[in-house]
Amino acid sequence: VVMVVSDHGFHPVKHKVHLNAAFQKAGLITLGVGPRPQVASWKAFAWASDGSASVVLQDSEDRAVEEQVARILSDIEKDPANGINRVLRGADAKLHHALPQASFVVDCKAGYSMGAGLTGAVVQDLASTTGSHGYLNTHPELNSAFFAVGPGILHGKNLGVVDIRQIAPTIALELGLTLPTAKMKPLAIRAAQGSDSGTR
């Protein structure tokens, strides 16, 4: 039996979004003196994760800073040229797997991903197209792939969209192993006795 598995898909990327450049311009990040920009202090900081970023406040109880950040992100989101798909706040951000201490999560559109720039333009064009992942899981292009072929494997079966956590227990079962800590059941990829078998 041969199985082909991927962990995620990719969006093509032609632009980088530097949220921290906007925060620095607004006085939420202070840079030290030196040839290269370095953070001396901060009140809000965006931790980039490729296609999305978690925005963390130095003091999560500082409502004035929280509202300032909300206004900055709203202004950035309103301009289509900035490539922002969604800005989520508070419990909604946590629900979409922002960093535990984050107050916001910002998701990019296809063609854009988060950068680490501290100065300059918020959006910068790339010299060439790259690829990125790390977006919210609402992007179908980010779905991973799973294929199986071999004796006894269902022939031509489309499994549809499955939970990626089902793949490890499926492989383990084929190897005659068990994963006691698995959160999901294996996929039903085997044909019944005497049925046609073959691919996928």
Side-chain angles (χ1 to χ4, degrees), residues 159 161-173 177-188:
L159 297 172
V161 178
V162 302
D163 192 306
I164 197 169
R165 294 172 295 176
Q166 292 180 273
I167 294 175
T170 302
I171 294 172
L173 184 63
L177 306 173
T178 59
L179 293 177
T181 59
K183 303 294 184 186
M184 306 289 289
K185 293 181 178 179
L187 296 164

Side-chain angles (χ1 to χ4, degrees), residues 31-32 34-39 118-119:
L31 302 181
R36 296 182 60 187
Q38 291 186 334
V39 176
L118 298 169
T119 60

Side-chain angles (χ1 to χ4, degrees), residues 56-178:
V56 178
L57 307 185
Q58 178 73 262
D59 179 0
S60 61
E61 301 300 318
D62 191 329
R63 295 295 167 247
V65 168
E66 183 178 355
E67 290 308 317
Q68 184 181 4
V69 170
R71 289 192 297 271
I72 292 169
L73 295 178
S74 178
D75 288 344
I76 292 172
E77 182 183 19
K78 286 176 185 174
D79 186 346
N82 291 329
I84 301 302
N85 180 43
R86 296 174 74 185
V87 176
L88 299 174
R89 183 176 182 176
D92 286 338
K94 304 289 193 304
L95 186 65
H96 285 80
H97 308 293
L99 292 175
Q101 66 272 37
S103 297
F104 302 85
V105 66
V106 183
D107 184 48
C108 287
K109 295 177 181 177
Y112 297 78
S113 71
M114 294 296 178
L118 298 169
T119 60
V122 172
V123 177
Q124 295 180 345
D125 298 337
L126 297 176
S128 59
T129 301
T130 63
S132 193
H133 58 104
Y135 301 79
L136 296 187
N137 63 7
T138 53
H139 297 250
E141 298 87 349
L142 273 293
N143 288 349
S144 57
F146 175 75
F147 301 91
V149 60
I153 302 298
L154 287 166
H155 179 77
K157 172 73 173 177
N158 186 343
L159 297 172
V161 178
V162 302
D163 192 306
I164 197 169
R165 294 172 295 176
Q166 292 180 273
I167 294 175
T170 302
I171 294 172
L173 184 63
E174 288 300 314
L175 293 171
L177 306 173
T178 59

